[in-house]
Amino acid sequence: MDEQIKESKSVTIVDTTIPIIEYQGQRVVTLDTIDAIHHRPDGTASRNFTNNKNRFEEGKHFYLIDITQNNEFRCFGISIPPRGLTVITERGYSLLVKSFNDDFAWEVQEQLSDSYFDNIQPMSTAEYLLQQAKLMLEVEQRVKKVERRQSRTETLVAETRQDVRAAHDKAAEAFEAASAALQHKFGNPDYFTIMAFASMHNLPIDFNEAKIRGARASKLSRDQDKAIIKVPDERFGKVNSYHKEILAAVFSDLIS
């Protein structure tokens, strides 16, 4: 079969470690896995899927894996039943958990989106700036080369001027991109991560408490229609930052 199913690694969502499964070039999860990471009784996701089956499109929201592919799933500790195994795509997962509205469910959904389905590893700011610096150097070298060509023959004047203009435009784009990366690194002055806000107010919190308060901040931001801004983080790739008014409410029990 053309379908490729493989385990590249595992990932931890809040407090549950799950294997990463790729099928048809995209990441998928089983219904049992959804129950596990959301701390729901066995069969909850399966029942929701069955009750709303007419809303799910095969190949877009889910795939039904045939028992003939059982050997390919043994590395995940999964046995395909005779009726087949349903695996859910990111779009299908978003539909399936619409009824999960508690704070914990919101945090699970956010982490699964960032850490599981979003499998593109972001560059750190330092890597991005280095890339832009190399691009600017290449552009500068191209400009000098074009200027040398300009003096060789009058017949190439029009083409040379066009190349010089394009090279300068590219240099400006590279500079703007580098500036945007710096602005993204240091963030909006009205926005802070959970840990940054706690540190600024001398509030000692551990990682687990930070996750809980982050879930509250996410829900409060959505309720008040406040933006949630992603910022780079050297440990996790990217984390959420919230408006200072949201964070003041979340930490109101600790701030005198």
Side-chain angles (χ1 to χ4, degrees):
M1 288 191 176
D2 294 334
E3 293 87 355
Q4 296 297 318
I5 305 173
K6 60 182 180 179
E7 178 185 18
S8 57
K9 59 180 180 179
S10 296
V11 64
T12 298
I13 305 300
V14 183
D15 57 1
T16 303
T17 299
I18 62 173
I20 292 177
I21 304 174
E22 293 184 0
Y23 183 77
Q24 294 276 19
Q26 60 181 311
R27 292 188 175 182
V28 295
V29 291
T30 67
L31 294 169
D32 288 343
T33 294
I34 294 174
D35 285 341
I37 60 179
H38 280 278
H39 295 180
R40 300 281 172 161
D42 293 345
T44 300
S46 178
R47 182 173 62 253
N48 286 3
F49 178 77
T50 301
N51 291 342
N52 298 279
K53 186 70 176 293
N54 62 319
R55 301 177 184 274
F56 293 86
E57 179 182 337
E58 186 169 4
K60 179 179 180 181
H61 300 114
F62 75 97
Y63 294 99
L64 183 62
I65 310 300
D66 189 84
I67 193 174
T68 58
Q69 295 178 269
N70 193 48
N71 288 339
E72 298 178 67
F73 271 84
R74 287 180 179 173
C75 62
F76 305 115
I78 298 173
S79 179
I80 301 178
R83 66 180 182 279
L85 176 72
T86 299
V87 293
I88 306 296
T89 67
E90 181 176 10
R91 297 181 71 172
Y93 169 77
S94 297
L95 289 179
L96 193 62
V97 299
K98 278 187 174 181
S99 61
F100 299 172
N101 290 319
D102 55 278
D103 286 350
F104 180 76
W106 279 106
E107 181 65 13
V108 169
Q109 292 173 46
E110 190 167 28
Q111 288 197 26
L112 195 68
S113 176
D114 290 346
S115 303
Y116 187 84
F117 288 120
D118 186 6
N119 58 357
I120 300 175
Q121 294 299 320
M123 287 187 294
S124 67
T125 303
E127 291 172 331
Y128 185 77
L129 290 175
L130 179 60
Q131 180 192 67
Q132 297 305 312
K134 290 180 178 179
L135 177 60
M136 293 178 71
L137 178 60
E138 293 174 0
V139 169
E140 183 180 357
Q141 292 172 342
R142 286 183 57 194
V143 170
K144 291 180 179 179
K145 182 178 180 180
V146 169
E147 289 173 344
R148 287 195 298 267
R149 287 177 55 198
Q150 188 176 18
S151 63
R152 293 177 185 173
T153 174
E154 291 296 326
T155 59
L156 295 178
V157 169
E159 178 185 353
T160 300
R161 288 177 178 172
Q162 184 177 1
D163 287 347
V164 170
R165 188 161 48 249
H168 280 297
D169 289 345
K170 205 161 189 177
E173 291 175 2
F175 180 79
E176 290 176 2
S179 298
L182 282 172
Q183 182 180 9
H184 184 56
K185 174 66 176 176
F186 295 107
N188 187 306
D190 291 331
Y191 277 74
F192 303 85
T193 64
I194 292 292
M195 297 303 292
F197 188 86
S199 176
M200 183 177 66
H201 291 276
N202 296 318
L203 305 176
I205 63 171
D206 58 24
F207 181 71
N208 289 330
E209 185 179 357
K211 290 198 295 185
I212 293 172
R213 292 185 184 269
R216 294 175 185 168
S218 294
K219 184 176 186 303
L220 193 57
S221 296
R222 285 185 286 267
D223 292 342
Q224 298 186 15
D225 198 25
K226 292 283 190 180
I228 299 174
I229 300 177
K230 298 284 186 182
V231 297
D233 185 273
E234 286 147 7
R235 297 166 298 173
F236 307 111
K238 55 184 178 180
V239 297
N240 290 337
S241 66
Y242 308 92
H243 195 275
K244 59 185 179 183
E245 293 178 0
I246 296 295
L247 293 172
V250 169
F251 284 92
S252 60
D253 59 320
L254 298 180
I255 300 176
S256 57

